[in-house]
Coordinates of all heavy atoms in Angstrom, one line a residue:
A20 N -30.8 29.4 -25.1 CA -31.1 28.8 -23.8 C -32.3 29.5 -23.2 O -33.2 28.9 -22.7 CB -29.9 29.0 -22.8
V21 N -32.4 30.8 -23.4 CA -33.6 31.6 -22.9 C -34.9 31.1 -23.7 O -35.9 30.9 -23.1 CB -33.4 33.1 -23.0 CG1 -34.7 33.9 -22.8 CG2 -32.3 33.5 -22.0
A22 N -34.7 31.0 -25.0 CA -35.9 30.5 -25.8 C -36.3 29.1 -25.4 O -37.5 28.8 -25.3 CB -35.5 30.5 -27.3
F23 N -35.4 28.2 -25.1 CA -35.7 26.9 -24.7 C -36.5 26.9 -23.4 O -37.5 26.2 -23.2 CB -34.4 26.0 -24.5 CG -34.7 24.7 -24.0 CD1 -35.2 23.7 -24.8 CD2 -34.4 24.4 -22.7 CE1 -35.5 22.4 -24.3 CE2 -34.7 23.1 -22.1 CZ -35.2 22.1 -22.9
V24 N -36.0 27.7 -22.4 CA -36.7 27.8 -21.1 C -38.1 28.3 -21.3 O -39.0 27.8 -20.7 CB -35.8 28.6 -20.1 CG1 -36.6 29.0 -18.9 CG2 -34.5 27.9 -19.8
L25 N -38.3 29.4 -22.1 CA -39.6 29.9 -22.3 C -40.5 28.9 -22.9 O -41.7 28.8 -22.5 CB -39.5 31.2 -23.1 CG -38.8 32.4 -22.4 CD1 -38.7 33.6 -23.4 CD2 -39.6 32.8 -21.2
V26 N -40.1 28.2 -23.9 CA -40.9 27.2 -24.6 C -41.2 26.1 -23.6 O -42.3 25.6 -23.6 CB -40.2 26.7 -25.9 CG1 -40.9 25.5 -26.4 CG2 -40.2 27.8 -26.9
Y27 N -40.2 25.6 -22.9 CA -40.4 24.5 -21.9 C -41.5 24.9 -20.9 O -42.4 24.1 -20.6 CB -39.1 24.2 -21.3 CG -39.2 23.1 -20.3 CD1 -39.2 21.7 -20.7 CD2 -39.2 23.3 -18.9 CE1 -39.3 20.7 -19.8 CE2 -39.3 22.3 -18.0 CZ -39.4 21.0 -18.4 OH -39.5 20.0 -17.5
E28 N -41.4 26.1 -20.3 CA -42.3 26.5 -19.3 C -43.7 26.6 -19.9 O -44.7 26.4 -19.3 CB -41.9 27.8 -18.7 CG -40.7 27.7 -17.8 CD -40.9 26.9 -16.6 OE1 -42.1 26.9 -16.0 OE2 -40.0 26.2 -16.2
R29 N -43.8 27.0 -21.2 CA -45.1 27.2 -21.8 C -45.8 25.9 -22.1 O -47.0 25.7 -22.0 CB -44.9 28.0 -23.1 CG -46.1 28.2 -23.9 CD -47.0 29.3 -23.4 NE -48.1 29.4 -24.3 CZ -49.2 30.1 -24.0 NH1 -49.3 30.6 -22.8 NH2 -50.2 30.2 -24.8
V30 N -45.0 24.9 -22.5 CA -45.5 23.6 -23.0 C -45.9 22.6 -21.8 O -46.8 21.9 -21.9 CB -44.6 22.9 -24.0 CG1 -45.0 21.5 -24.3 CG2 -44.4 23.8 -25.2
M31 N -45.1 22.6 -20.8 CA -45.3 21.7 -19.7 C -46.6 22.0 -19.0 O -46.9 23.1 -18.6 CB -44.1 21.8 -18.7 CG -42.8 21.2 -19.2 SD -42.9 19.5 -19.8 CE -43.3 18.7 -18.3
Q32 N -47.4 21.0 -18.7 CA -48.6 21.1 -18.1 C -48.5 20.8 -16.6 O -48.0 19.7 -16.3 CB -49.7 20.2 -18.7 CG -51.0 20.4 -18.1 CD -52.0 19.5 -18.8 OE1 -51.7 18.6 -19.5 NE2 -53.3 19.7 -18.5
D33 N -48.8 21.7 -15.7 CA -48.8 21.4 -14.3 C -50.0 20.7 -13.9 O -51.1 21.1 -14.2 CB -48.6 22.8 -13.6 CG -48.3 22.6 -12.1 OD1 -48.3 21.5 -11.6 OD2 -48.1 23.6 -11.5
S34 N -49.8 19.6 -13.1 CA -51.0 18.8 -12.7 C -51.9 19.6 -11.8 O -53.1 19.3 -11.6 CB -50.5 17.5 -12.1 OG -49.8 17.8 -10.9
R35 N -51.4 20.6 -11.1 CA -52.3 21.4 -10.2 C -53.2 22.3 -11.0 O -54.2 22.8 -10.5 CB -51.4 22.2 -9.3 CG -50.7 21.4 -8.3 CD -49.8 22.3 -7.5 NE -48.7 22.8 -8.4 CZ -47.5 22.9 -8.1 NH1 -47.0 22.6 -7.0 NH2 -46.6 23.4 -9.0
T36 N -53.0 22.5 -12.3 CA -53.9 23.4 -13.1 C -54.8 22.6 -14.0 O -55.6 23.1 -14.7 CB -53.1 24.3 -14.0 OG1 -52.3 23.5 -14.9 CG2 -52.2 25.2 -13.2
V37 N -54.8 21.2 -13.9 CA -55.7 20.4 -14.7 C -57.1 20.6 -14.2 O -57.4 20.7 -13.0 CB -55.3 18.9 -14.5 CG1 -56.3 18.0 -15.2 CG2 -53.9 18.7 -15.1
R38 N -58.0 20.7 -15.1 CA -59.4 20.9 -14.8 C -60.0 19.7 -14.2 O -59.8 18.6 -14.7 CB -60.2 21.3 -16.0 CG -61.6 21.7 -15.7 CD -62.3 22.2 -16.9 NE -63.0 21.2 -17.7 CZ -64.0 20.4 -17.3 NH1 -64.5 20.6 -16.1 NH2 -64.5 19.5 -18.1
I39 N -60.6 19.8 -13.0 CA -61.2 18.7 -12.3 C -62.7 18.6 -12.7 O -63.4 19.6 -12.6 CB -61.0 18.8 -10.8 CG1 -59.5 18.8 -10.5 CG2 -61.7 17.7 -10.1 CD1 -59.1 19.0 -9.1
E40 N -63.0 17.4 -13.1 CA -64.4 17.2 -13.6 C -65.4 17.2 -12.4 O -65.1 16.7 -11.3 CB -64.4 15.7 -14.2 CG -65.7 15.4 -14.8 CD -65.6 14.0 -15.4 OE1 -64.9 13.8 -16.4 OE2 -66.2 13.0 -14.8
T41 N -66.5 17.9 -12.6 CA -67.5 17.9 -11.5 C -68.6 17.0 -12.0 O -69.2 17.2 -13.0 CB -68.0 19.3 -11.3 OG1 -68.5 19.9 -12.5 CG2 -66.9 20.2 -10.7
A42 N -68.9 16.0 -11.2 CA -69.9 15.0 -11.6 C -70.7 14.7 -10.3 O -70.2 14.9 -9.2 CB -69.3 13.8 -12.2
S43 N -71.8 14.0 -10.5 CA -72.6 13.6 -9.3 C -71.8 12.5 -8.5 O -70.9 11.9 -9.0 CB -73.9 13.1 -9.8 OG -73.8 11.8 -10.4
E44 N -72.3 12.3 -7.3 CA -71.7 11.4 -6.4 C -71.8 9.9 -6.9 O -71.1 9.1 -6.6 CB -72.3 11.5 -5.0 CG -71.8 12.6 -4.2 CD -70.4 12.5 -3.7 OE1 -70.1 11.4 -3.2 OE2 -69.7 13.4 -3.9
T45 N -72.8 9.7 -7.8 CA -73.1 8.3 -8.2 C -72.7 8.1 -9.7 O -72.8 6.9 -10.1 CB -74.6 8.0 -8.1 OG1 -75.4 9.0 -8.8 CG2 -75.0 8.1 -6.6
E46 N -72.2 9.1 -10.4 CA -71.8 8.9 -11.7 C -70.4 8.4 -11.8 O -69.5 9.0 -11.2 CB -72.0 10.3 -12.5 CG -71.7 10.2 -13.9 CD -71.8 11.6 -14.5 OE1 -72.7 12.4 -14.1 OE2 -71.1 11.9 -15.5
A47 N -70.1 7.4 -12.6 CA -68.8 6.8 -12.7 C -67.9 7.8 -13.5 O -68.3 8.4 -14.5 CB -68.8 5.5 -13.5
P48 N -66.7 8.0 -13.0 CA -65.8 8.9 -13.7 C -65.3 8.3 -15.0 O -65.1 7.1 -15.1 CB -64.6 9.1 -12.6 CG -64.7 7.9 -11.8 CD -66.1 7.5 -11.8
S49 N -65.0 9.2 -15.9 CA -64.5 8.7 -17.2 C -63.0 8.6 -17.2 O -62.3 9.5 -16.5 CB -65.0 9.6 -18.3 OG -64.6 11.0 -18.1
P50 N -62.4 7.7 -17.9 CA -60.9 7.5 -17.9 C -60.2 8.8 -18.4 O -60.7 9.4 -19.4 CB -60.7 6.3 -18.8 CG -61.9 5.5 -18.7 CD -63.0 6.5 -18.5
G51 N -59.2 9.2 -17.8 CA -58.4 10.4 -18.2 C -58.8 11.7 -17.6 O -58.1 12.7 -17.9
R52 N -59.9 11.7 -16.9 CA -60.3 13.0 -16.3 C -60.1 13.0 -14.8 O -60.3 11.9 -14.1 CB -61.8 13.2 -16.5 CG -62.2 13.1 -17.9 CD -61.7 14.3 -18.7 NE -62.8 15.1 -19.1 CZ -62.7 16.4 -19.4 NH1 -61.6 17.0 -19.4 NH2 -63.8 17.0 -19.8
A53 N -59.7 14.1 -14.3 CA -59.5 14.2 -12.8 C -60.8 14.5 -12.1 O -61.6 15.3 -12.6 CB -58.5 15.4 -12.5
V54 N -61.1 13.8 -11.1 CA -62.3 13.9 -10.3 C -62.0 14.1 -8.8 O -61.0 13.5 -8.3 CB -63.2 12.7 -10.5 CG1 -64.5 12.8 -9.8 CG2 -63.4 12.4 -12.0
R55 N -62.8 14.9 -8.1 CA -62.6 15.0 -6.7 C -63.1 13.8 -5.9 O -64.2 13.4 -6.2 CB -63.3 16.3 -6.2 CG -62.6 17.6 -6.5 CD -61.6 17.9 -5.5 NE -60.9 19.1 -5.9 CZ -59.6 19.3 -5.8 NH1 -58.8 18.3 -5.3 NH2 -59.0 20.3 -6.2
F56 N -62.3 13.3 -5.0 CA -62.7 12.2 -4.1 C -62.3 12.6 -2.7 O -61.4 13.4 -2.5 CB -62.0 11.0 -4.5 CG -62.7 10.1 -5.5 CD1 -62.6 10.4 -6.8 CD2 -63.4 9.0 -5.1 CE1 -63.2 9.6 -7.8 CE2 -64.0 8.1 -6.0 CZ -63.9 8.4 -7.3
Q57 N -63.0 12.0 -1.7 CA -62.5 12.1 -0.3 C -61.6 10.8 -0.2 O -62.1 9.7 -0.5 CB -63.7 12.0 0.6 CG -64.6 13.2 0.6 CD -63.9 14.4 1.3 OE1 -63.2 14.2 2.3 NE2 -64.2 15.5 0.8
V58 N -60.4 11.0 0.4 CA -59.5 9.9 0.5 C -59.3 9.6 2.0 O -59.0 10.6 2.7 CB -58.2 10.1 -0.2 CG1 -57.2 9.0 -0.1 CG2 -58.4 10.4 -1.7
T59 N -59.5 8.4 2.4 CA -59.1 8.0 3.8 C -58.1 6.8 3.7 O -57.7 6.5 2.6 CB -60.4 7.5 4.5 OG1 -61.0 6.5 3.8 CG2 -61.4 8.7 4.7
A60 N -57.8 6.3 4.8 CA -56.8 5.2 4.9 C -57.3 4.1 5.8 O -58.0 4.4 6.8 CB -55.4 5.7 5.3
Y61 N -56.9 2.9 5.4 CA -57.2 1.7 6.3 C -56.0 0.9 6.5 O -55.1 0.9 5.7 CB -58.4 0.9 5.8 CG -58.2 0.1 4.6 CD1 -58.1 -1.3 4.7 CD2 -58.1 0.7 3.3 CE1 -57.9 -2.1 3.5 CE2 -57.9 -0.1 2.2 CZ -57.8 -1.5 2.3 OH -57.6 -2.3 1.2
C62 N -56.0 0.1 7.5 CA -54.8 -0.8 7.9 C -55.2 -2.2 8.3 O -54.3 -3.0 8.5 CB -54.0 -0.1 9.0 SG -55.0 0.1 10.5
K63 N -56.4 -2.5 8.3 CA -56.9 -3.8 8.8 C -57.2 -4.7 7.6 O -57.5 -4.2 6.5 CB -58.1 -3.7 9.7 CG -57.9 -2.8 10.9 CD -57.0 -3.5 11.9 CE -56.9 -2.7 13.1 NZ -56.1 -3.2 14.1
G64 N -57.3 -6.0 7.8 CA -57.7 -6.9 6.8 C -56.5 -7.7 6.3 O -55.3 -7.3 6.4
E65 N -56.8 -8.9 5.7 CA -55.8 -9.7 5.1 C -56.0 -10.0 3.6 O -55.0 -10.0 2.9 CB -55.7 -11.0 5.9 CG -55.2 -10.9 7.3 CD -55.1 -12.2 8.0 OE1 -55.1 -13.2 7.4 OE2 -55.2 -12.2 9.3
I66 N -57.2 -10.2 3.2 CA -57.5 -10.5 1.9 C -58.5 -9.5 1.3 O -59.5 -9.2 2.0 CB -58.2 -11.9 1.7 CG1 -57.2 -13.0 2.3 CG2 -58.5 -12.3 0.3 CD1 -55.9 -13.2 1.5
T67 N -58.3 -9.0 0.1 CA -59.2 -8.0 -0.5 C -60.4 -8.7 -1.1 O -60.4 -9.9 -1.3 CB -58.4 -7.2 -1.5 OG1 -58.1 -8.0 -2.6 CG2 -57.2 -6.5 -1.0
A68 N -61.3 -7.9 -1.6 CA -62.5 -8.4 -2.3 C -62.1 -9.0 -3.6 O -62.9 -9.9 -4.1 CB -63.5 -7.2 -2.5
A69 N -61.0 -8.7 -4.2 CA -60.5 -9.3 -5.4 C -59.7 -10.6 -5.2 O -59.3 -11.2 -6.1 CB -59.7 -8.3 -6.2
G70 N -59.5 -10.9 -3.9 CA -58.8 -12.1 -3.5 C -57.3 -12.0 -3.4 O -56.6 -13.0 -3.3
F71 N -56.8 -10.8 -3.3 CA -55.4 -10.5 -3.1 C -55.1 -10.2 -1.6 O -55.9 -9.7 -0.9 CB -54.9 -9.4 -4.0 CG -55.0 -9.6 -5.4 CD1 -56.1 -9.2 -6.1 CD2 -54.0 -10.3 -6.1 CE1 -56.2 -9.4 -7.5 CE2 -54.1 -10.5 -7.5 CZ -55.2 -10.1 -8.2
R72 N -53.8 -10.5 -1.2 CA -53.4 -10.1 0.1 C -53.2 -8.6 0.1 O -52.7 -8.0 -0.9 CB -52.1 -10.8 0.5 CG -52.3 -12.3 0.7 CD -51.0 -13.0 1.1 NE -50.6 -13.0 2.5 CZ -51.4 -13.5 3.5 NH1 -52.6 -13.9 3.2 NH2 -50.9 -13.5 4.7
V73 N -53.6 -7.9 1.2 CA -53.4 -6.5 1.3 C -52.0 -6.1 1.3 O -51.1 -6.8 1.8 CB -54.1 -5.9 2.6 CG1 -55.6 -6.1 2.5 CG2 -53.6 -6.5 3.8
R74 N -51.7 -5.0 0.6 CA -50.4 -4.4 0.5 C -50.5 -2.9 0.1 O -51.5 -2.5 -0.4 CB -49.5 -5.2 -0.4 CG -49.9 -5.3 -1.8 CD -48.9 -6.1 -2.6 NE -49.5 -6.4 -3.9 CZ -50.2 -7.5 -4.2 NH1 -50.5 -8.4 -3.3 NH2 -50.7 -7.7 -5.4
A75 N -49.4 -2.2 0.2 CA -49.3 -0.8 -0.2 C -49.6 -0.7 -1.7 O -49.2 -1.7 -2.5 CB -48.0 -0.2 0.1
G76 N -50.2 0.3 -2.2 CA -50.5 0.5 -3.6 C -51.9 0.1 -4.0 O -52.3 0.1 -5.1
M77 N -52.7 -0.4 -3.0 CA -54.1 -0.8 -3.3 C -55.0 0.1 -2.6 O -54.7 0.7 -1.6 CB -54.3 -2.3 -3.0 CG -54.1 -2.7 -1.6 SD -54.5 -4.5 -1.4 CE -53.8 -5.3 -2.7
A78 N -56.2 0.2 -3.2 CA -57.3 1.0 -2.6 C -58.6 0.3 -2.6 O -58.8 -0.6 -3.4 CB -57.4 2.3 -3.4
A79 N -59.5 0.8 -1.8 CA -60.9 0.3 -1.7 C -61.8 1.4 -2.3 O -61.5 2.6 -2.0 CB -61.3 -0.1 -0.3
A80 N -62.7 1.1 -3.1 CA -63.6 2.0 -3.7 C -65.0 1.4 -3.9 O -65.2 0.2 -3.7 CB -63.1 2.5 -5.0
D81 N -66.0 2.3 -4.1 CA -67.3 1.9 -4.4 C -67.3 1.2 -5.8 O -67.0 1.8 -6.8 CB -68.2 3.1 -4.5 CG -69.7 2.8 -4.6 OD1 -70.0 1.6 -5.0 OD2 -70.5 3.7 -4.4
P82 N -67.7 -0.1 -5.9 CA -67.6 -0.8 -7.1 C -68.5 -0.3 -8.2 O -68.3 -0.5 -9.4 CB -67.9 -2.3 -6.8 CG -68.6 -2.2 -5.5 CD -68.1 -0.9 -4.8
K83 N -69.5 0.5 -7.8 CA -70.4 1.1 -8.8 C -69.7 2.3 -9.6 O -70.0 2.5 -10.7 CB -71.7 1.7 -8.2 CG -72.5 0.6 -7.6 CD -73.7 1.2 -6.8 CE -74.4 0.1 -6.0 NZ -75.2 0.7 -4.9
L84 N -68.7 2.9 -8.9 CA -68.0 4.0 -9.5 C -66.7 3.5 -10.1 O -66.3 3.9 -11.2 CB -67.7 5.1 -8.5 CG -68.9 5.9 -8.0 CD1 -68.4 6.9 -7.0 CD2 -69.7 6.5 -9.1
L85 N -65.9 2.8 -9.3 CA -64.6 2.3 -9.7 C -64.6 0.7 -9.5 O -64.4 0.3 -8.4 CB -63.5 2.9 -8.9 CG -63.3 4.4 -9.1 CD1 -62.3 4.9 -8.1 CD2 -62.8 4.7 -10.5
P86 N -64.9 0.0 -10.6 CA -64.9 -1.5 -10.4 C -63.6 -2.0 -10.0 O -62.5 -1.4 -10.3 CB -65.4 -2.0 -11.8 CG -65.3 -0.8 -12.7 CD -65.2 0.4 -11.9
L87 N -63.6 -3.2 -9.5 CA -62.3 -3.9 -9.1 C -61.4 -4.0 -10.3 O -61.9 -4.2 -11.4 CB -62.6 -5.3 -8.6 CG -63.3 -5.4 -7.2 CD1 -63.5 -6.8 -6.8 CD2 -62.5 -4.7 -6.1

Side-chain angles (χ1 to χ4, degrees):
V21 168
F23 175 77
V24 168
L25 291 175
V26 169
Y27 179 79
E28 290 294 325
R29 175 80 177 162
V30 172
M31 291 304 297
Q32 183 178 14
D33 189 357
S34 64
R35 292 175 294 221
T36 61
V37 173
R38 191 174 83 68
I39 297 176
E40 186 177 288
T41 55
S43 72
E44 284 287 314
T45 58
E46 185 181 324
S49 55
R52 303 292 246 162
V54 181
R55 285 272 176 224
F56 269 79
Q57 292 287 327
V58 180
T59 58
Y61 73 105
C62 61
K63 302 285 184 184
E65 293 180 21
I66 303 293
T67 67
F71 295 94
R72 292 182 86 55
V73 292
R74 62 180 167 269
M77 60 177 43
D81 185 346
K83 294 174 191 161
L84 295 180
L85 295 171
L87 294 177

